[in-house]
Amino acid sequence: MTNPQRQSAQLAGVLLAVMLAAGLWVDAAVLHLFDRPDLAFGGAFVIAAIAFALGEAVVLHVELGKNAHTVSLAELTLAVSLFFVPTMHLPLARIVGGGAVLLLVRRQRPLKVGFNLALWVLDVAVATMVFRELGGGLHSGASGLVVPAVAAAVTSAVVDSLAVNAVIALTSKELEPLRALRFLETCVLNALACGTGAVICVAALAYSAWLLVPMVLVIGLFLLGFHHFAALRAQHTNVKVLYDFSGQLSRTPHGEQVLTTVLSRVGELLRAETAALYLQEADGSTVRLTELDDLGVPHTRWLDKGQVPALLLSSFERAEPLVLGSAVRHPAARHFLQEYGARDAVLAPIQGDQGLRGAMVIANRLGEVTTFSGDDGLLLQTLASHAAAALANSRLVERLDHDSLHDSLTGLANRGKFQERLSRALDAGGTVAVLLMDLDRFKEVNDTLGHHHGDLLLQEIAVRLGREVRGNDVLARLGGDEFAVLMTNLSEAEALETAQRILAALGQPMYLQGVEMEVSASIGVVHIPATGPNRAGLDATLLLQRADVAMYCAKQEYTGAHLYRDELDGYSPRRLALASGLRAAIEQGQLCVRYQPQSRLLDQVLIGAEALVCWDHPLYGEVPPDDFIAIAEQTGQIRELTRFVLDRSLAGCASWEAAGTTLAVSVNLSVRNLLEPDLVHSVRSLLAKHGLPGERLTLEITESHLMSDPPRTAEVLGGLAGLGVRLSIDDFGTGYSSLAYLKQLPVTEIKVDKSFVREIAHDEEDAAIVEAIIQLAHTLRLEVVAEGVEDQGAQDRLADLGCDLFQGYHLARPMRERDFSTWLAARAPYVPRLRAVPSQRDSTPSALAAP
C-alpha cells in the first residue's frame, strides 16, 4: 500500500470511529438502550433482519464523480421497523441483515464493511431519536404515523449522504460541492419515497398482516419495471457513448493524443478505475503497454511477451471480449485478476489494419457496487474496434507526415523540416549555429561508379554525421550532396570544433561493396548569439544563405570549414541597411563616441583616451564599429565618418581642457583617409575650431595601411606631423611592414596588438614578442602602448618589460562622454593638470606629464 493509500485508509478509520462513537452515545445517553437491555429476540427481529437484507440487496446505483454509491430500500424497511421492532433490536437487525449482504453478496473490503456498519449504527440511532421525539407509534393516530415515519427516513438519508461526502472529501480529495448537493438531493428524494411507502405499509399491516402479500407483489412489480427501464436507459446511454466516442476520435489529432483520448474516454464511459492498451510490436516478441497516470498523461513502456499475463496474450487472438467478474471461479481468470491487481476486468481484442494486434483492458469498476457485465464487454469491444481504426489511421497519417519531412534515402530531415526547426530555434532565443556541408567532387563518384554507389556513399555519410553531432541536434539532407546541422546553446568555438570533427570523420576511408572511397567536404558555419544586433531581422532562409556563402568561401580557400562574417556577404539585408543608413545616422546623431582611457605604467597617471565610434541603430541596437567601418570604406562614407569622429573627439578634449583636465585623444584613421588630399587641411581646421594644439591629438594608423602606398602615405604623415599631431602605429606586429622603411616615418608611438598582450602573464612566447617590440621601439625612440590589458598580472608583466603606456578593460571599458567625465572626477589623484614635456624624440612633443 502506498503512502497516499495508507493515509486515506487512516482518515477513513478515524471517521468510522467517530460515527460509531456518536451512534453509541445516542443509543446510551438519549435512547437509554443499555439501561434495561432486552435480549429476547423474537420473530419481529428475524423478519426485520431479512427485510433489511432484501432492502440492502435491492439498490439504486448513484455515481458521484469517480465514486459510485448505493441508495437502497433500507430506509423503507427502517421506517416500517420503527413501528414493530423493539428499539434495542432495531440496530442489531440492521447490522445483521445488511452486513450479510455486504459480506456475502457484494464482497466488500473490510474497511468499507466497517464504515457501513458504523454508519448504520449512527443513522438508526438518529432516526429512532427523531421518531421518538415526534411521538411516532401505532397508537398515536395519524399524527404519530405520517410525520415521524417520513422524518425518520429523511433523517437517516441525510446522515448517510453527509457521511459519504465526508469520507470522499477526506480520502480522495475530489469532492465537488455541486455533485455532493446532487447526491444529497437524490438521497432525500429516495427517503421521501421510502417514508411515504412505509406509511402505506404500516397502515396496511396495522389493519391486517395478510396485506403484506399484495404489498410485496406490488413492490416486486415496481422493481421489475424499474429494472427494464434501467436496461433501456443503459442501451440509450451506450448508443450515445458510441456516438460521442466516435466523434471525439474523428476530431482528435493523430499521434499520442489518440491514445490519450481512447484511454481516458474508455475509462470514463465504462466507469473503470484503470484503462490500458496492449499492442503487439511488429517483431512479435515485444508488447507496447500504454497507460494513463493520475494527471491523464499517457506513459508507454515495452514488455517482453514473458512479462504479459498468459490470459491477456490469448485475448489477442480472440474474437469476443472476455469479462472477468468479481465472482469468477475459473483458475486462469482468478490468476489473471490476482496478477493484474484487480477485482474485476474486461479484455477486448484489437485486430485492425496496419498490422495492429493487441487488447484493451479495463479494470476495477468504480465504487465496488457492481461488477462488469456482458453488456460492458460488448460495449468495450465496439469501442476497441473504433479505437483500432483511429490508431490505424493515426499510424498512416504519421507515416505520411514523416515521409513529407524526411529524406527517403538517408532518413534524415529534409529541407522543409530543417527550415521549420531552424525557425523555431530562432524564435525560442538562445544561441543558434548552422553547419552547411557540401561534398567535394561528388559528381565524379556518380559518373565513375554509378548512382548506386553514390547513394551508398550518401547513406554512409549520414551515419558518420550522426555520430559526430549531439542527440538534440537536427541533421538534415537538403538535397543532392548537401547536408546541414542545426545546433543550439553552444559557443562559436564549439560549432567550429564540431565542423572539424565532421571533416575528420569524413576523411576516413569508406568501404562500400568492395570499393574503397575517400571523400572531402567543405563546411560553412554560421553562429548567432542569444542577444545582440546580429539577431535582428534573421530568418531561416537568410541564415541558410549565409551558411552557403561561408561554405563557398571554404571551397575557394581550401580551408575545410569557414565561419561566416558580414564582410563575406556584400548582399546581406543587414549590411545593405547599414550601408544605406550610415549617412543619415551621422546627420541624425545616431553615432556616438566612447572613450577608453590610457595610463602610464610607471606612475598610473592618465595621459589620454582612445575615441571609439558606436552606432545606436534604431533596428539593430548598438552596432560595434567593426560592423560598419568596412562598409563606410567600401561605400565611400569613411571621409564623413572620420570627420565626425575627429570633431566629436576634439570637442570632448576641449571640454576636459575647459574643466581643468588636460588629456590627449586618439582617433583611428582608415587607409582611405590617408589617401585623401585634404586630410591635413581638415585636421588643421578642426584643431583651430576647438582651440587645441596638435599634440592633444594622436592619429592611429594600422600597420598594414601604412604599407598600402608608402610614398603617398609618407607625404600625408609628414604633413600631419608638421601640425604637431602625434602619430601611432596600431596593431603592431600583425602586419608585414619593412622595419627599414618604418624608421623613416614620423611616428611617435606604436601600439602592441592585444593578441600578444592578453596571455602575456602566462605565455612566455607572447612575453618574448612584446619584449622584442619594446626594445625595438625604444631603440627608435618611440613610446609603446599595450592594448587589451585585462588583468593585474598582464599589467605587472608589461611594467617589468619596460612598456610605457597601457589601456584595456583592467583600467576601464570604453565609456560615453558623460560617464567618462564622471570616471575622471572619481580618479582625481591620477588625473593630471599637465604641461607638455619633451618626448624621447626631440623633434616631436611627447606625452603629457604631471607637474
Side-chain angles (χ1 to χ4, degrees):
M1 181 181 294
T2 62
N3 288 335
Q5 291 174 330
R6 186 180 296 107
Q7 184 180 12
S8 298
Q10 291 172 350
L11 292 173
V14 170
L15 182 61
L16 183 156
V18 170
M19 292 189 301
L20 182 60
L24 293 176
W25 180 83
V26 172
D27 287 338
V30 179
L31 301 178
H32 303 288
L33 298 185
F34 305 118
D35 293 347
R36 293 186 301 276
D38 183 3
L39 300 180
F41 298 99
F45 172 81
V46 175
I47 294 174
I50 295 174
F52 275 119
L54 292 175
E56 200 63 42
V58 180
V59 295
L60 173 66
H61 304 306
V62 179
E63 296 165 13
L64 183 59
K66 290 185 177 181
N67 297 275
H69 310 281
T70 60
V71 178
S72 68
L73 297 180
E75 282 78 8
L76 174 63
T77 304
L78 175 61
V80 173
S81 299
L82 286 171
F83 290 93
F84 299 105
V85 180
T87 304
M88 178 62 187
H89 296 169
L90 188 57
L92 294 177
R94 179 82 165 101
I95 292 173
V96 171
V101 173
L102 297 184
L103 292 173
L104 301 178
V105 178
R106 296 187 190 168
R107 301 179 181 273
Q108 288 186 347
R109 291 175 294 181
L111 180 61
K112 194 162 187 178
V113 171
F115 174 83
N116 286 323
L117 294 181
L119 176 59
W120 291 342
V121 170
L122 177 61
D123 67 19
V124 168
V126 173
T128 303
M129 179 180 66
V130 170
F131 184 79
R132 181 179 294 181
E133 290 297 325
L134 293 178
L138 291 174
H139 306 293
S140 300
S143 60
L145 179 63
V146 179
V147 176
V150 174
V154 171
T155 302
S156 175
V158 170
V159 170
D160 286 350
S161 66
L162 292 177
V164 170
N165 286 326
V167 76
I168 292 175
L170 289 175
T171 56
S172 67
K173 298 180 176 60
E174 295 182 354
L175 182 65
E176 298 181 11
L178 183 60
R179 288 183 174 178
L181 289 175
R182 288 178 179 174
F183 179 56
L184 175 61
E185 178 186 3
T186 301
C187 293
V188 170
L189 291 176
N190 177 73
L192 288 174
C194 288
T196 304
V199 170
I200 297 173
C201 291
V202 169
L205 292 174
Y207 182 80
S208 172
W210 288 104
L211 292 177
L212 180 63
V213 176
M215 284 192 301
V216 171
L217 182 61
V218 170
I219 293 174
L221 291 174
F222 170 79
L223 292 177
L224 182 61
F226 179 81
H227 174 74
H228 286 292
F229 168 77
L232 290 174
R233 186 174 182 274
Q235 291 179 5
H236 172 75
T237 301
N238 289 347
V239 172
K240 187 176 184 301
V241 163
L242 285 174
Y243 177 79
D244 293 342
F245 184 74
S246 301
Q248 190 167 6
L249 281 183
S250 66
R251 296 188 300 271
T252 300
H254 60 273
E256 290 295 323
Q257 294 187 14
V258 171
L259 296 177
T260 304
T261 300
V262 167
L263 293 177
S264 60
R265 291 293 290 158
V266 164
E268 177 184 349
L269 296 175
L270 289 171
R271 303 189 302 280
E273 289 184 2
T274 63
L277 184 64
Y278 291 81
L279 291 177
Q280 185 171 289
E281 292 296 294
D283 59 8
S285 61
T286 56
V287 174
R288 177 182 179 180
L289 167 61
T290 304
E291 299 173 294
L292 296 183
D293 61 16
D294 294 338
L295 299 177
V297 178
H299 293 277
T300 299
R301 53 195 175 99
W302 280 262
L303 308 174
D304 293 333
K305 273 197 170 182
Q307 298 176 281
V308 181
L311 188 64
L312 182 56
L313 280 178
S314 66
S315 68
F316 291 4
E317 310 299 331
R318 294 175 58 91
E320 302 294 335
L322 185 61
V323 180
L324 308 178
S326 58
V328 65
R329 293 292 183 267
H330 194 280
R334 293 183 61 84
H335 177 72
F336 170 80
L337 291 176
Q338 183 178 5
E339 186 177 0
Y340 203 76
R343 299 183 304 275
D344 48 10
V346 181
L347 287 64
I350 290 180
Q351 297 173 2
D353 297 335
Q354 306 295 323
L356 284 175
R357 185 172 297 276
M360 187 177 295
V361 181
I362 59 172
N364 294 334
R365 193 65 175 262
L366 286 172
E368 299 178 343
V369 174
T370 59
T371 187
F372 294 113
S373 64
D375 290 340
D376 294 321
L378 294 176
L379 177 58
L380 181 62
Q381 179 64 65
T382 306
L383 296 178
S385 299
H386 284 272
L391 289 171
N393 292 336
S394 173
R395 286 189 173 187
L396 180 59
V397 171
E398 287 178 346
R399 183 62 183 174
L400 293 174
D401 285 348
H402 181 275
D403 291 345
S404 68
L405 296 174
H406 290 78
D407 174 52
S408 59
L409 178 64
T410 61
L412 302 179
N414 61 15
R415 181 180 290 272
K417 178 68 172 179
F418 187 83
Q419 288 187 310
E420 182 263 334
R421 292 293 300 273
L422 179 54
S423 298
R424 284 167 49 188
L426 289 172
D427 293 341
T431 60
V432 177
V434 172
L435 280 62
L436 184 64
M437 187 190 80
D438 185 81
L439 299 182
D440 299 330
R441 301 184 302 279
F442 177 71
K443 184 176 183 298
E444 297 177 9
V445 176
N446 280 334
D447 293 344
T448 305
L449 300 176
H451 290 282
H452 174 66
H453 278 84
D455 290 346
L456 294 178
L457 176 61
L458 293 176
Q459 291 173 339
E460 176 62 21
I461 288 173
V463 172
R464 294 195 180 191
L465 289 176
R467 295 172 185 159
E468 302 304 326
V469 299
R470 303 171 303 181
N472 59 338
D473 296 333
V474 180
L475 180 59
R477 181 189 175 207
L478 303 186
D481 59 342
E482 196 173 55
F483 294 82
V485 182
L486 168 61
M487 312 178 78
T488 57
N489 300 322
L490 80 169
S491 66
E492 183 179 282
E494 290 172 326
L496 288 171
E497 180 185 351
T498 302
Q500 294 298 333
R501 286 203 316 270
I502 290 174
L503 291 173
L506 297 182
Q508 299 297 319
M510 302 181 187
Y511 299 92
L512 304 173
Q513 293 188 350
V515 178
E516 180 179 346
M517 297 184 188
E518 293 186 6
V519 297
S520 61
S522 300
I523 301 178
V525 181
V526 179
H527 183 269
I528 303 300
T531 57
N534 288 336
R535 202 175 185 94
L538 279 181
D539 58 20
T541 302
L542 179 58
L543 210 56
L544 282 173
Q545 175 187 329
R546 291 182 175 183
D548 194 59
V549 169
M551 185 265 292
Y552 275 104
C553 287
K555 279 186 178 295
Q556 293 171 1
E557 300 177 10
Y558 301 99
T559 56
H562 204 293
L563 181 66
Y564 174 84
R565 298 295 185 196
D566 286 343
E567 55 267 23
L568 298 179
D569 186 2
Y571 302 100
S572 69
R574 182 175 182 272
R575 187 178 180 86
L576 292 175
L578 293 178
S580 62
L582 182 56
R583 192 178 305 277
I586 297 173
E587 296 173 354
Q588 296 172 8
Q590 294 178 10
L591 298 182
C592 65
V593 175
R594 298 190 176 190
Y595 300 95
Q596 185 172 37
Q598 297 175 341
S599 175
R600 281 203 304 254
L601 279 161
L602 180 63
D603 53 14
Q604 308 299 307
V605 172
L606 297 176
I607 60 93
E610 180 179 0
L612 302 169
V613 63
C614 252
W615 186 353
D616 291 328
H617 197 282
L619 176 61
Y620 302 120
E622 184 176 300
V623 182
D626 290 345
D627 285 3
F628 63 88
I629 294 296
I631 295 176
E633 290 179 338
Q634 294 174 6
T635 58
Q637 301 180 73
I638 191 64
R639 183 179 185 277
E640 291 79 6
L641 179 61
T642 302
R643 297 304 186 273
F644 169 81
V645 177
L646 281 170
D647 186 42
R648 292 302 308 154
S649 302
L650 291 174
C653 188
S655 68
W656 307 330
E657 186 93 11
T661 301
T662 307
L663 294 178
V665 65
S666 299
V667 177
N668 287 276
L669 289 185
S670 164
V671 63
R672 289 184 177 271
N673 296 134
L674 293 177
L675 301 179
E676 294 172 10
D678 62 342
L679 176 63
V680 176
H681 174 72
S682 297
V683 172
R684 180 188 298 112
S685 299
L686 290 171
L687 288 171
K689 174 184 176 181
H690 296 289
L692 292 173
E695 59 264 22
R696 293 289 189 270
L697 176 63
T698 299
L699 295 176
E700 299 183 5
I701 306 98
T702 303
E703 183 181 2
S704 58
H705 291 175
L706 287 172
M707 297 300 103
S708 61
D709 189 349
R712 193 170 175 181
T713 299
E715 181 182 351
V716 175
L717 293 181
L720 293 172
L723 299 176
V725 174
R726 293 169 52 82
L727 301 173
S728 175
I729 300 177
D730 197 10
D731 298 337
F732 188 82
T734 61
Y736 306 96
S737 59
S738 167
L739 294 179
Y741 186 78
L742 179 61
K743 70 179 182 179
Q744 302 175 15
L745 297 176
V747 297
T748 56
E749 73 177 26
I750 61 175
K751 297 186 74 171
V752 182
D753 187 69
K754 58 188 175 184
S755 62
F756 301 118
V757 176
R758 283 200 184 101
E759 301 296 328
I760 192 172
H762 313 289
D763 192 318
E764 292 301 324
E765 293 183 358
D766 284 347
I769 293 173
V770 173
E771 184 177 13
I773 293 174
I774 293 173
Q775 291 177 0
L776 171 64
H778 287 171
T779 300
L780 296 175
R781 302 176 68 188
L782 303 176
E783 289 184 326
V784 180
V785 182
E787 58 182 351
V789 179
E790 298 184 354
D791 54 54
Q792 187 65 43
Q795 179 180 334
D796 294 341
R797 189 63 186 275
L798 288 167
D800 294 340
L801 295 177
C803 186
D804 303 300
L805 310 171
F806 78 101
Q807 69 182 76
Y809 288 175
H810 183 58
L811 177 61
R813 291 177 178 269
M815 294 170 277
R816 294 179 184 266
E817 186 172 343
R818 181 183 301 175
D819 298 331
F820 184 66
S821 299
T822 304
W823 185 84
L824 287 176
R827 289 181 56 91
Y830 300 99
V831 177
R833 304 295 187 266
L834 302 181
R835 55 183 173 83
V837 299
S839 73
Q840 295 175 347
R841 179 179 287 188
D842 295 337
S843 61
T844 308
S846 180
L848 301 174

